[in-house]
Amino acid sequence: MKKQVMLGYPKTQTYQDVKIYSKTGQKLSYTLKHVKGYDATQQYAAIQHKGQYVKHLSYVAKAPFVE
């Protein structure tokens, strides 16, 4: 996951080409092109989405199935 810092208030980060895993840990065949978040110290997120539209993002600890 690439991270790009955007200027402005509140400071947001734009994550590009986010790899997607199912709840069971299976890597899915697509990525989310752009996701915005607010915590630059976090690397992993649970994301509810429909297509490229992100409904909800919450930061999580590294899942055990992530490579």
Side-chain angles (χ1 to χ4, degrees), residues 17-67:
D17 300 322
V18 177
K19 295 176 188 174
I20 303 298
Y21 294 84
S22 70
K23 289 181 180 179
T24 60
Q26 179 182 8
K27 185 176 179 182
L28 302 179
S29 62
Y30 62 94
T31 62
L32 292 176
K33 293 183 187 235
H34 301 284
V35 177
K36 290 189 176 186
Y38 293 99
D39 191 345
T41 65
Q42 300 296 321
Q43 187 174 2
Y44 299 98
I47 300 173
Q48 288 181 325
H49 69 94
K50 184 170 186 174
Q52 293 292 316
Y53 174 74
V54 174
K55 294 179 180 181
H56 180 74
L57 179 142
S58 59
Y59 292 102
V60 296
K62 182 177 179 180
F65 55 80
V66 176
E67 302 167 353

